[in-house]
C-alpha cells in the first residue's frame, strides 16, 4: 500500500473519531445544563467527562492536521533524500564514512526532529487524556456501585426490621 494512502486513511480515521467525540461531548454539555433534571454528582461527572473528551478530540484533530501537513510539506521525502545522499557519499568515500551535514540539511534535521517530537508529545497527550478519562469513569462507576450497595443493604435492613416487628406482634 502506498505510504500516502496509509497516512491519508490514518488521518481520516483520526478526524472521524475526533469529530465524533467532539460532537457527542458537545451534545452532552448541552444536555447537562440546569434546565435538565439530573443528580448533581452525575451532572458534574458528565460535564467533566465531556470537557475531557472535547480537549482530547481537539488534540486528535491537531494530530491529524500535523500528520497531513508533514506529508503535504514533503517532510518524509526530504528526510529520505538526505539519508540517500549521505549513503551514496559514504559509499563513494574511500574510508566509507558518512559526510557531515551541510547547514541546510542541519536546519532541516532540527526542524524535522522538532516536528516529530511535537507529534509524539501530542500523541502522548491523547493517550494520557484517554487514560485519565478511563480512570475517572472507573472511579465514578465504583462510587455509584458502592452507593447502590449501601442503598440495597439499607433497604434489606429495613425489610428485616419490619419482618421482625411483624413476627413479634404475631
Amino acid at each position: 500500500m502506498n505510504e500516502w494512502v496509509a497516512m491519508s486513511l490514518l488521518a481520516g480515521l483520526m478526524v472521524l473519531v475526533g469529530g465524533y467525540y467532539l460532537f457527542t461531548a458537545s451534545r452532552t454539555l448541552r444536555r447537562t445544563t440546569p434546565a435538565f433534571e439530573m443528580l448533581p454528582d452525575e451532572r458534574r461527572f458528565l460535564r467533566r467527562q465531556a470537557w475531557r473528551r472535547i480537549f482530547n478530540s481537539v488534540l486528535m484533530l491537531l494530530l491529524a492536521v500535523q500528520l497531513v501537513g508533514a506529508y503535504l510539506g514533503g517532510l518524509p521525502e526530504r528526510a529520505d533524500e538526505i539519508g540517500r545522499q549521505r549513503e551514496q557519499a559514504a559509499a563513494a568515500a574511500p574510508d566509507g564514512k558518512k559526510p557531515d551535514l551541510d547547514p541546510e540539511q542541519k536546519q532541516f534535521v532540527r526542524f524535522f526532529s522538532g516536528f516529530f517530537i511535537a507529534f509524539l508529545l501530542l500523541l502522548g497527550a491523547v493517550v494520557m487524556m484517554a487514560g485519565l478519562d478511563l480512570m475517572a469513569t472507573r472511579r465514578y462507576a465504583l462510587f455509584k456501585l458502592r452507593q447502590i450497595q449501601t442503598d440495597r443493604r439499607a433497604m434489606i435492613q429495613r425489610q428485616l426490621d419490619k419482618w421482625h416487628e411483624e413476627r413479634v406482634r404475631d
Side-chain angles (χ1 to χ4, degrees):
M1 183 187 286
N2 187 358
E3 196 174 312
W4 255 97
V5 173
M7 290 307 128
S8 297
L9 287 175
L10 181 61
L13 181 65
M14 289 184 342
V15 167
L16 283 174
V17 170
Y20 172 76
Y21 279 106
L22 191 61
F23 173 73
T24 57
S26 62
R27 192 173 63 188
T28 300
L29 281 178
R30 284 191 304 271
R31 291 182 179 177
T32 55
T33 60
F36 293 90
E37 192 172 322
M38 188 179 293
L39 294 173
D41 61 333
E42 186 175 354
R43 182 186 322 272
R44 185 174 44 255
F45 167 74
L46 289 174
R47 290 188 68 79
R48 286 180 181 172
Q49 181 185 52
W51 281 113
R52 280 190 305 271
R53 290 184 179 179
I54 286 172
F55 182 70
N56 207 17
S57 295
V58 169
L59 288 178
M60 196 176 300
L61 293 173
L62 286 173
L63 201 60
V65 166
Q66 193 175 14
L67 185 63
V68 168
Y71 276 88
L72 288 178
L75 295 182
E77 292 87 6
R78 178 73 176 123
D80 288 341
E81 179 187 324
I82 291 173
R84 278 192 300 276
Q85 288 173 356
R86 294 191 72 213
E87 290 294 328
Q88 290 171 355
D95 59 357
K97 197 173 165 187
K98 291 183 182 177
D100 291 337
L101 296 171
D102 63 35
E104 178 195 339
Q105 290 174 335
K106 283 183 182 179
Q107 183 181 4
F108 175 78
V109 168
R110 282 190 203 107
F111 175 76
F112 189 73
S113 299
F115 190 87
F116 191 67
I117 288 169
F119 184 84
L120 290 177
L121 287 173
L122 268 176
L123 182 62
V126 166
V127 171
M128 183 187 71
M129 285 302 297
L132 288 173
D133 189 42
L134 181 68
M135 288 184 344
T137 302
R138 183 179 185 277
R139 186 175 54 239
Y140 182 73
L142 288 173
F143 167 74
K144 282 300 193 181
L145 177 66
R146 285 188 208 110
Q147 191 177 31
I148 289 169
Q149 288 172 339
T150 302
D151 292 347
R152 185 169 182 234
R153 281 189 205 107
M155 180 186 68
I156 290 171
Q157 187 61 46
R158 283 192 309 271
Q159 287 176 343
L160 277 173
D161 292 344
K162 185 177 177 182
W163 183 70
H164 284 299
E165 286 177 15
E166 289 175 0
R167 288 204 60 188
V168 170
R169 281 189 225 149
D170 292 339

